[in-house]
Amino acid sequence: MAERVISERVVSRRVVGSANPILKKFRNFKGSITGVCVAPILMIIALGLLFYSEKFERSSITVESLSLEKATEVTADSGMHKMQGKVEVTAPAEAPEMGDVLYYTYKKQQYEEVEETETETVTKVENGQEIEEQVERVKLVEKWVDKESESNWGEFKLGKYTIKPSGANLRLDLNKKEYTEDFGMYEEVPAGRTVEPDIGDRRLVVEYLDLDTELLVVGEISGSTVSGGEVFIITTKGDSELLSDMKGEETAMYWIMKGGSWLLLTLGMLMILGPILSLLDFIPIAGQAANCAASIVAGIIAAVIVLMGTIIIKFWYVCIALAVLGVVGLVALLVFLVAKKGGKEEEKK
């Protein structure tokens, strides 16, 4: 994708402060005080994220709990089902240049030179002052631009059930064809061939499913239709591949939330320590060492909080039971000690 810069200008400019190293340290100290006020907010968000990471809905659990059924053998008129089989197309969709298909999505595109704007923050020193500038850069980029797009399903059944795809989570491995356009006429680009476009070229890209496609549908049967449910999925994947993909996505989301919670907690603790670290920064070697040590300690404490929080949220009933047993044990111990002390006093008398 070719590109070239056609203009560059400074859209905003502000004096951050003196470039003097000592004065910069004072400025950092002032900013660290503001950070102390922001820290509790970050930590609250971190704890909320930690809680949500254990409670977010895992659709894979619902899908895995359902038995895979052959569509032709399903006779139910209600309930969640997971069924697979060849579709019966009752009214096909007509894809551009291709004709009848089960499903298609197409884009008409033109290769153009378009303007794209990006902004960059630049810090420089002028006359002993640190200046922050926002630089706006306009580039001309050559790329395919969508001019028209559309997608459509044909009407079809799976077994005896009419499937209404609207609102479904589509996980489809689509076939693809590309056509070049010249004076309103389309010519198919052979598979594997790469066409180097010129400015003004037009093309049609069609992705589709054949009429004899096999689908797996997870959804709620209502009479003779499937159009929704607790989970509603239409896919060309097999059961094991679908579950593997869903579990992988959910696991990735789970660890991203855990990592985000850990990062926010670490930043929050460093912000709380900010004023002290800023003061220590006036001592060159000690300041760097203190910042490094504080980052390591904050990271470890945050990791412990995330771990303990996960255990408490996941096994809250066990934690409550242990807390109750602890309180009961402590009370019993106190009663025993008081009784023992009373017995000794009686013996002395």
Side-chain angles (χ1 to χ4, degrees):
M1 186 171 65
E3 61 178 56
R4 58 191 175 91
V5 177
I6 59 173
S7 69
E8 186 174 289
R9 66 190 182 97
V10 176
V11 293
S12 67
R13 178 183 172 93
R14 72 184 184 93
V15 178
V16 178
S18 173
N20 183 285
I22 301 299
L23 295 178
K24 283 178 69 174
K25 293 183 188 296
F26 276 112
R27 190 167 72 240
N28 292 338
F29 175 73
K30 182 180 177 182
S32 68
I33 295 174
T34 304
V36 173
C37 301
V38 177
I41 299 173
L42 294 183
M43 298 177 84
I44 290 170
I45 294 172
L47 295 175
L49 195 59
L50 180 61
F51 181 82
Y52 182 72
S53 69
E54 292 298 327
K55 298 298 181 181
F56 80 100
E57 184 179 350
R58 292 175 179 262
S59 299
S60 64
I61 295 175
T62 302
V63 175
E64 191 171 25
S65 68
L66 298 171
S67 299
L68 181 63
E69 304 171 272
K70 289 185 178 180
T72 53
E73 297 176 357
V74 181
T75 58
D77 57 8
S78 64
M80 287 290 297
H81 287 264
K82 177 170 61 177
M83 52 187 178
Q84 187 174 27
K86 288 276 188 181
V87 299
E88 177 190 343
V89 181
T90 55
E94 187 174 350
E97 299 300 313
M98 292 185 57
D100 293 346
V101 295
L102 170 62
Y103 169 79
Y104 72 85
T105 178
Y106 81 80
K107 294 178 182 178
K108 287 184 177 179
Q109 301 176 316
Q110 183 163 312
Y111 198 71
E112 298 179 354
E113 202 172 44
V114 297
E115 289 187 4
E116 290 187 351
T117 303
E118 63 180 27
T119 303
E120 180 184 6
T121 301
V122 178
T123 302
K124 58 176 67 175
V125 176
E126 291 182 4
N127 301 321
Q129 296 289 315
E130 198 171 283
I131 310 295
E132 185 179 272
E133 295 180 343
Q134 293 287 330
V135 180
E136 183 182 86
R137 192 174 293 111
V138 180
K139 302 185 296 183
L140 276 181
V141 180
E142 294 179 8
K143 67 178 189 178
W144 288 103
V145 179
D146 293 346
K147 295 298 182 180
E148 184 181 326
S149 63
E150 183 182 79
S151 60
N152 195 22
W153 280 94
E155 296 178 9
F156 67 99
K157 290 184 175 182
L158 198 58
K160 71 172 189 175
Y161 304 99
T162 299
I163 310 298
K164 303 288 187 182
S166 177
N169 176 4
L170 301 180
R171 295 172 174 267
L172 307 174
D173 295 322
L174 299 172
N175 303 309
K176 182 178 179 179
K177 287 189 177 181
E178 182 178 328
Y179 301 84
T180 56
E181 182 186 351
D182 191 13
F183 296 104
M185 302 295 291
Y186 291 97
E187 180 181 348
E188 184 178 348
V189 178
R193 178 182 153 195
T194 302
V195 178
E196 292 295 333
D198 295 319
I199 299 298
D201 284 357
R202 293 183 297 274
R203 71 176 181 182
L204 172 69
V205 179
V206 184
E207 295 182 290
Y208 65 96
L209 293 176
D210 292 316
L211 293 174
D212 62 347
T213 298
E214 183 174 281
L215 292 179
L216 187 155
V217 174
V218 182
E220 185 172 5
I221 293 174
S222 178
S224 60
T225 65
V226 179
S227 59
E230 181 184 348
V231 178
F232 186 26
I233 298 172
I234 298 176
T235 181
T236 54
K237 301 179 185 296
D239 186 34
S240 59
E241 186 182 0
L242 172 63
L243 282 170
S244 178
D245 287 353
M246 293 180 72
K247 287 180 179 180
E249 292 166 5
E250 290 167 355
T251 299
M253 176 67 72
Y254 176 83
W255 287 110
I256 287 171
M257 287 190 286
K258 292 293 186 192
S261 180
W262 172 83
L263 181 61
L264 289 173
L265 285 170
T266 302
L267 290 175
M269 284 184 278
L270 288 175
M271 284 182 173
I272 291 173
L273 295 173
I276 297 173
L277 295 175
S278 294
L279 288 174
L280 289 174
D281 202 34
F282 282 92
I283 309 171
I285 298 177
Q288 293 175 3
N291 275 280
C292 181
S295 298
I296 293 172
V297 172
I300 292 172
I301 294 173
V304 171
I305 292 173
V306 169
L307 177 61
M308 296 303 296
T310 298
I311 293 172
I312 292 170
I313 295 168
K314 187 174 289 187
F315 304 107
W316 60 270
Y317 45 90
V318 176
C319 296
I320 291 175
L322 290 174
V324 171
L325 287 174
V327 171
V328 171
L330 182 60
V331 171
L333 179 61
L334 290 173
V335 170
F336 173 76
L337 293 174
V338 170
K340 187 175 180 180
K341 184 178 179 181
K344 288 182 177 179
E345 290 178 352
E346 288 291 331
E347 289 177 1
K348 289 179 179 180
K349 291 180 180 179

